[in-house]
Coordinates of all heavy atoms in Angstrom, one line a residue:
A560 N 105.1 128.2 67.1 CA 105.1 129.5 67.9 C 105.1 130.7 67.1 O 104.5 131.7 67.5 CB 106.3 129.4 68.9
N561 N 105.7 130.6 65.9 CA 105.8 131.8 65.0 C 104.5 132.1 64.3 O 104.0 133.2 64.2 CB 106.9 131.6 64.0 CG 107.2 132.9 63.2 OD1 107.1 134.0 63.7 ND2 107.5 132.7 61.9
K562 N 103.8 131.0 63.8 CA 102.6 131.2 63.0 C 101.3 131.2 63.8 O 100.3 131.8 63.3 CB 102.6 130.1 61.9 CG 103.8 130.1 60.9 CD 103.7 131.4 60.1 CE 104.8 131.3 59.0 NZ 104.8 132.5 58.2
G563 N 101.3 130.5 64.9 CA 100.1 130.5 65.7 C 99.0 129.8 65.0 O 99.2 128.7 64.5
I564 N 97.8 130.4 64.9 CA 96.6 129.7 64.3 C 96.8 129.6 62.8 O 96.0 128.9 62.1 CB 95.3 130.4 64.7 CG1 95.3 131.8 64.0 CG2 95.1 130.5 66.2 CD1 93.9 132.4 64.0
Y565 N 97.8 130.3 62.3 CA 97.9 130.3 60.8 C 98.9 129.3 60.3 O 99.2 129.3 59.1 CB 98.3 131.7 60.4 CG 97.3 132.8 60.7 CD1 97.6 133.7 61.8 CD2 96.1 132.9 60.1 CE1 96.7 134.7 62.1 CE2 95.2 133.8 60.5 CZ 95.4 134.7 61.5 OH 94.5 135.6 61.9
R566 N 99.4 128.5 61.2 CA 100.3 127.4 60.7 C 99.5 126.3 60.0 O 98.3 126.2 60.2 CB 101.1 126.8 61.9 CG 100.2 126.0 62.8 CD 101.0 125.4 64.0 NE 100.2 124.6 64.9 CZ 99.8 123.4 64.7 NH1 100.2 122.7 63.6 NH2 99.1 122.7 65.6
R567 N 100.2 125.6 59.2 CA 99.6 124.5 58.5 C 99.3 123.3 59.5 O 100.1 123.1 60.4 CB 100.5 123.9 57.4 CG 100.7 124.9 56.3 CD 101.6 124.2 55.2 NE 101.9 125.2 54.1 CZ 102.7 124.9 53.1 NH1 103.3 123.7 53.1 NH2 102.8 125.8 52.1
G568 N 98.1 122.7 59.4 CA 97.8 121.7 60.3 C 96.3 121.5 60.4 O 95.5 122.2 59.7
S569 N 95.8 120.6 61.2 CA 94.4 120.4 61.4 C 93.7 121.5 62.1 O 94.1 121.9 63.2 CB 94.2 119.1 62.2 OG 92.9 119.0 62.6
T570 N 92.7 122.1 61.4 CA 91.9 123.2 62.0 C 91.2 122.7 63.3 O 91.1 123.3 64.3 CB 90.9 123.7 61.0 OG1 91.6 124.2 59.9 CG2 90.1 124.9 61.6
K571 N 90.7 121.4 63.2 CA 90.0 120.8 64.3 C 90.9 120.7 65.5 O 90.5 121.1 66.7 CB 89.5 119.4 63.9 CG 88.7 118.7 65.0 CD 88.1 117.4 64.5 CE 87.4 116.6 65.5 NZ 88.2 116.2 66.6
T572 N 92.1 120.3 65.3 CA 93.1 120.2 66.4 C 93.4 121.6 67.0 O 93.5 121.7 68.3 CB 94.4 119.6 65.9 OG1 94.1 118.2 65.4 CG2 95.4 119.4 67.1
M573 N 93.5 122.6 66.2 CA 93.8 123.9 66.6 C 92.6 124.5 67.5 O 92.9 125.1 68.6 CB 94.0 124.9 65.5 CG 94.4 126.3 65.9 SD 96.0 126.4 66.8 CE 97.1 126.0 65.4
I574 N 91.4 124.2 67.1 CA 90.3 124.6 67.9 C 90.2 123.9 69.2 O 90.0 124.5 70.3 CB 88.9 124.3 67.1 CG1 88.9 125.2 65.9 CG2 87.7 124.5 68.0 CD1 87.7 124.9 64.9
E575 N 90.6 122.6 69.2 CA 90.7 121.8 70.5 C 91.7 122.4 71.4 O 91.5 122.5 72.6 CB 90.9 120.4 70.2 CG 89.8 119.7 69.5 CD 90.1 118.3 69.1 OE1 91.3 117.9 69.2 OE2 89.2 117.5 68.6
N576 N 92.9 122.8 70.8 CA 93.9 123.4 71.6 C 93.5 124.7 72.3 O 93.7 125.0 73.5 CB 95.2 123.7 70.8 CG 95.9 122.4 70.4 OD1 95.8 121.4 71.1 ND2 96.7 122.4 69.3
I577 N 92.8 125.5 71.5 CA 92.3 126.8 72.0 C 91.3 126.6 73.2 O 91.3 127.2 74.2 CB 91.6 127.7 70.9 CG1 92.7 128.2 70.0 CG2 90.8 128.8 71.5 CD1 92.2 129.0 68.8
N578 N 90.3 125.6 73.0 CA 89.4 125.3 74.0 C 90.1 124.8 75.3 O 89.6 125.1 76.4 CB 88.4 124.2 73.5 CG 87.4 124.7 72.5 OD1 87.1 125.9 72.5 ND2 86.9 123.9 71.6
S579 N 91.1 124.0 75.1 CA 91.8 123.5 76.3 C 92.5 124.6 77.0 O 92.5 124.7 78.3 CB 92.9 122.5 75.8 OG 93.7 122.0 76.9
I580 N 93.1 125.6 76.3 CA 93.8 126.7 76.9 C 92.8 127.6 77.6 O 93.0 128.0 78.8 CB 94.6 127.6 75.9 CG1 95.7 126.8 75.3 CG2 95.1 128.9 76.5 CD1 96.4 127.4 74.1
L581 N 91.6 127.8 77.0 CA 90.6 128.6 77.6 C 90.1 128.0 78.9 O 89.8 128.7 79.9 CB 89.4 128.8 76.7 CG 89.6 129.8 75.5 CD1 88.5 129.6 74.5 CD2 89.7 131.2 76.0
N582 N 90.0 126.7 78.9 CA 89.6 126.0 80.1 C 90.6 126.1 81.3 O 90.3 126.3 82.4 CB 89.4 124.5 79.8 CG 88.9 123.7 81.0 OD1 87.9 124.0 81.6 ND2 89.7 122.7 81.4
K583 N 91.9 126.1 80.9 CA 93.0 126.2 81.9 C 93.2 127.6 82.5 O 93.7 127.7 83.6 CB 94.3 125.6 81.3 CG 94.2 124.1 81.1 CD 95.5 123.7 80.3 CE 95.4 122.2 80.0 NZ 96.5 121.6 79.2
I584 N 92.8 128.6 81.7 CA 93.0 130.0 82.2 C 91.7 130.6 82.6 O 91.7 131.8 82.9 CB 93.7 130.8 81.1 CG1 92.8 131.1 79.9 CG2 95.0 130.2 80.7 CD1 93.3 132.1 78.9
E585 N 90.6 129.9 82.7 CA 89.3 130.5 82.9 C 89.2 131.3 84.3 O 88.4 132.2 84.4 CB 88.2 129.5 82.8 CG 88.2 128.4 83.8 CD 87.1 127.5 83.7 OE1 86.1 127.8 83.0 OE2 87.1 126.4 84.3
N586 N 90.0 130.8 85.3 CA 89.9 131.5 86.6 C 91.1 132.4 86.9 O 91.3 132.8 88.0 CB 89.9 130.4 87.7 CG 88.7 129.5 87.6 OD1 87.6 130.0 87.3 ND2 88.9 128.2 87.8
E587 N 91.8 132.8 85.8 CA 93.0 133.6 86.1 C 92.8 135.1 85.7 O 93.8 135.9 85.7 CB 94.2 133.1 85.2 CG 94.5 131.6 85.4 CD 94.8 131.2 86.8 OE1 95.1 132.2 87.6 OE2 94.7 130.0 87.2

């Protein structure tokens, strides 16, 4: 929560998370 996209971890997974969030909020 503190680092966001800049935290250590899989870049591919982070992109997938962003795509998932975008899909869930697309009508809001």
Side-chain angles (χ1 to χ4, degrees):
N561 186 37
K562 298 293 184 180
I564 67 166
Y565 300 106
R566 69 178 179 84
R567 292 180 181 177
S569 168
T570 302
K571 180 175 179 293
T572 300
M573 182 65 71
I574 294 172
E575 290 174 353
N576 287 337
I577 290 177
N578 288 334
S579 177
I580 294 171
L581 286 169
N582 182 59
K583 290 172 182 177
I584 68 171
E585 63 178 346
N586 296 319
E587 306 301 343

